[in-house]
Amino acid sequence: PALRLGWLMAPEPVAAELASLKQFADGGSPTFDQLALADFLDSGQMDRHLRRMRQVYRRRRDLLTAALAEFLPELRIGGVAAGLHLMLNLPDDTDENALLATAAERSIRLFGAAQYRVRPHNAPSAIVIGYGCIAEPLIREGVQQLARLIKRKGR
């Protein structure tokens, strides 16, 4: 992500138009960065990195889901297989914004699901918990603190 590079395999009929739109949108990507990424891919380092990181992320996800099952077993978890985050549905009477503010005061970084919804006022309160950048020893402790906050309704 820091390189702001990606790739896309597009059907031939739309590939030229996509390239033109990309050029118009940002003037193109830096050549040196593209060459470095190409070397990273060609050398097999990307494959090794992905294999290693899948294990790391799987371990973090498993620690997170186990801690949530232990400390908040009554709450439903969703999106576990969707990436490096999951969604935790909150009890009906929980103020999502108050919970986020209180958690932030305790250095627990969460995201409210409302900011990602088209109709946030019609949906139940939920939080998005990312685990891509958290140290494994902090996961259980963080969930335990989060459980205390949720049981106090975010106050």
Side-chain angles (χ1 to χ4, degrees), residues 6-22:
W7 61 91
L8 171 73
M9 287 187 64
E12 187 61 39
V14 296
E17 184 175 351
L18 286 172
S20 175
L21 289 170
K22 166 76 169 105

Side-chain angles (χ1 to χ4, degrees), residues 92-155:
D92 291 337
D93 56 348
T94 304
D95 181 333
E96 185 178 303
N97 290 325
L99 177 65
L100 294 173
T102 306
E105 291 170 3
R106 288 166 177 76
S107 298
I108 302 171
R109 175 87 189 222
L110 305 168
F111 300 92
Q115 68 181 344
Y116 300 106
R117 294 187 167 148
V118 175
R119 294 184 184 94
H121 303 294
N122 298 341
S125 295
I127 53 175
V128 178
I129 305 173
Y131 54 87
C133 295
I134 188 168
E136 291 176 18
L138 299 177
I139 293 173
R140 189 171 189 281
E141 177 187 339
V143 171
Q144 191 173 22
Q145 288 182 36
L146 175 62
R148 286 188 205 114
L149 296 179
I150 289 173
K151 289 175 181 171
R152 290 184 0 217
K153 305 299 178 213
R155 293 182 280 278

Side-chain angles (χ1 to χ4, degrees), residues 29-90:
S29 299
T31 302
F32 183 75
D33 294 355
Q34 291 180 74
L35 291 171
L37 179 60
D39 185 57
F40 189 56
L41 294 169
D42 289 341
S43 70
Q45 291 294 321
M46 177 69 144
D47 290 333
R48 284 187 283 283
H49 172 71
L50 290 176
R51 278 194 299 278
R52 184 175 65 252
M53 294 312 296
R54 278 188 195 109
Q55 293 173 351
V56 169
Y57 294 140
R58 183 177 299 120
R59 204 169 42 247
R60 289 177 188 170
R61 181 201 61 208
D62 292 348
L63 286 168
L64 178 58
T65 56
L68 288 168
E70 179 181 352
F71 296 113
L72 293 164
E74 67 282 1
L75 299 184
R76 190 176 71 78
I77 302 169
V80 175
L84 299 177
H85 60 274
L86 54 80
M87 185 182 292
L88 182 68
N89 290 327
L90 299 171

